[in-house]
Amino acid sequence: MEKEITIAEFAEELRTRLQTGKTVDCCKDELLRLADIISAKIGDEKILVTWKS
């Protein structure tokens, strides 16, 4: 089932999933679309990251 939601709603769903230990595997296509939006709209912003292999 597809439905259109705001980026804020999607971010909250991801936050909830990550904080409760759920996977985000269900959202792979959406995460790729979000990455495109981020690159296009706020690509020069900085974020502190800790990479884990």
Side-chain angles (χ1 to χ4, degrees), residues 2 4 8 10 13-15 27 33 37 39 45 51 53:
E2 284 188 335
E4 192 170 68
F10 184 57
E13 177 64 24
L14 289 174
R15 184 179 293 112
C27 309
R33 277 188 235 132
I37 293 168
S39 293
E45 292 291 324
W51 295 114
S53 298

Side-chain angles (χ1 to χ4, degrees), residues 1-20:
M1 173 180 79
E2 284 188 335
K3 73 177 188 178
E4 192 170 68
I5 62 173
T6 66
I7 298 293
E9 290 170 319
F10 184 57
E12 187 56 35
E13 177 64 24
L14 289 174
R15 184 179 293 112
T16 299
R17 286 179 166 278
L18 291 168
Q19 289 174 336
T20 60

